[in-house]
Amino acid sequence: SQQGEEDPQALSIQEGENATMNCSYKTSINNLQWYRQNSGRGLVHLILIRSNEREKHSGRLRVTLDTSKKSSSLLITASRAADTASYFCATDSEGGYNKLIFGAGTRLAVHP
Amino acid sequence: EAQVTQNPRYLITVTGKKLTVTCSQNMNHEYMSWYRQDPGLGLRQIYYSMNVEVTDKGDVPEGYKVSRKEKRNFPLILESPSPNQTSLYFCASSFPGTPQFFGPGTRLTVL
């Protein structure tokens, strides 16, 4: 079953612009994680936000979490061509044990 | 270097021919998991293991088997592969409650 749904499915921007991706989920969670995947390769963890946190930053990444709306957003500021990848949110459900449920992902293309 | 390795990376096989995809991690992680990735569906969990000799089904376990005899290894077994198991497979590992490390993936084609 899919817990998270990313929006938009695809995003195309110019270098230097900001990119915002959204994720919605259905059940209560322990934490929500964002991963990045370059074409056909393994996923790389970007950031984890716990259910009692509202916002988290890591370099050019900013993640927000609204548990009342069961949604999260990932903002990449001042994007670069190297940010071109697919981005997935994954939820670690309350009562689970590291059982991540992934959304279908957002494909981001950053053009020079 | 901390890593999760998978072998083979690419495999083309025929329906019904048993195969095993190996997964090994060198980080002493208790938790390991297998996912498959299909276009438009994201990653779906096949099986996971919370420690040695402890495994459980994920969301799409049909047609797969796993074992966890050692902490570092978590092989995925397809006893009788079928074309609908053509997919990109990922192994991952972690400590409880921490982000997962993913392997590089195994692209499987079943003819």
Side-chain angles (χ1 to χ4, degrees):
Chain A
S1 61
Q2 271 181 263
Q3 162 87 305
E5 292 183 7
E6 285 93 343
D7 167 52
Q9 291 185 331
L11 183 59
S12 182
I13 60 174
Q14 297 295 126
E15 258 189 336
E17 294 180 340
N18 295 342
T20 299
M21 288 160 265
N22 303 299
C23 169
S24 60
Y25 59 92
K26 296 172 185 170
T27 63
S28 296
I29 59 172
N30 287 324
N31 63 64
L32 185 144
Q33 303 175 32
W34 285 90
Y35 287 81
R36 166 196 167 120
Q37 182 183 34
N38 288 82
S39 181
R41 303 183 69 174
L43 278 74
V44 174
H45 178 259
L46 295 176
I47 198 164
L48 180 154
I49 186 165
R50 301 196 184 281
S51 60
N52 61 353
E53 297 176 309
R54 292 297 167 256
E55 188 170 312
K56 205 159 184 181
H57 297 255
S58 177
R60 292 184 297 113
L61 305 181
R62 172 177 169 254
V63 169
T64 61
L65 178 65
D66 186 336
T67 53
S68 67
K69 294 181 180 177
K70 291 188 169 55
S71 68
S72 173
S73 68
L74 170 68
L75 169 66
I76 303 174
T77 59
S79 63
R80 306 165 181 166
D83 294 328
T84 295
S86 291
Y87 292 82
F88 295 89
C89 69
T91 52
D92 185 352
S93 295
E94 201 173 65
Y97 187 92
N98 259 28
K99 179 176 164 55
L100 292 183
I101 301 178
F102 285 83
T106 292
R107 292 187 312 279
L108 173 65
V110 182
H111 302 284
Chain B
E1 180 190 352
Q3 60 183 345
V4 177
T5 57
Q6 296 179 226
N7 283 291
R9 295 288 315 281
Y10 302 91
L11 180 60
I12 300 175
T13 189
V14 295
T15 298
K17 186 175 181 183
K18 180 179 178 180
L19 66 92
T20 299
V21 183
T22 64
C23 172
S24 183
Q25 50 93 7
N26 62 1
M27 296 165 278
N28 203 36
H29 287 159
E30 289 97 347
Y31 183 89
M32 297 186 75
S33 182
W34 276 103
Y35 299 89
R36 61 177 288 173
Q37 184 177 28
D38 302 289
L41 294 178
L43 278 80
R44 293 179 293 168
Q45 190 180 56
I46 302 170
Y47 268 95
Y48 64 98
S49 169
M50 293 185 284
N51 216 321
V52 176
E53 303 291 2
V54 181
T55 64
D56 206 350
K57 296 177 181 178
D59 297 316
V60 288
E62 293 78 20
Y64 304 94
K65 284 175 58 177
V66 293
S67 68
R68 187 93 182 271
K69 295 184 171 60
E70 306 165 280
K71 199 170 190 178
R72 64 182 292 129
N73 296 323
F74 190 46
L76 179 70
I77 303 156
L78 285 73
E79 294 270 2
S80 182
S82 62
N84 64 12
Q85 293 178 298
T86 292
S87 188
L88 180 57
Y89 291 87
F90 290 101
C91 179
S93 71
S94 70
F95 292 117
T98 66
Q100 295 186 18
F101 281 80
F102 280 79
T106 295
R107 190 169 291 280
L108 172 66
T109 301
V110 183
L111 301 175

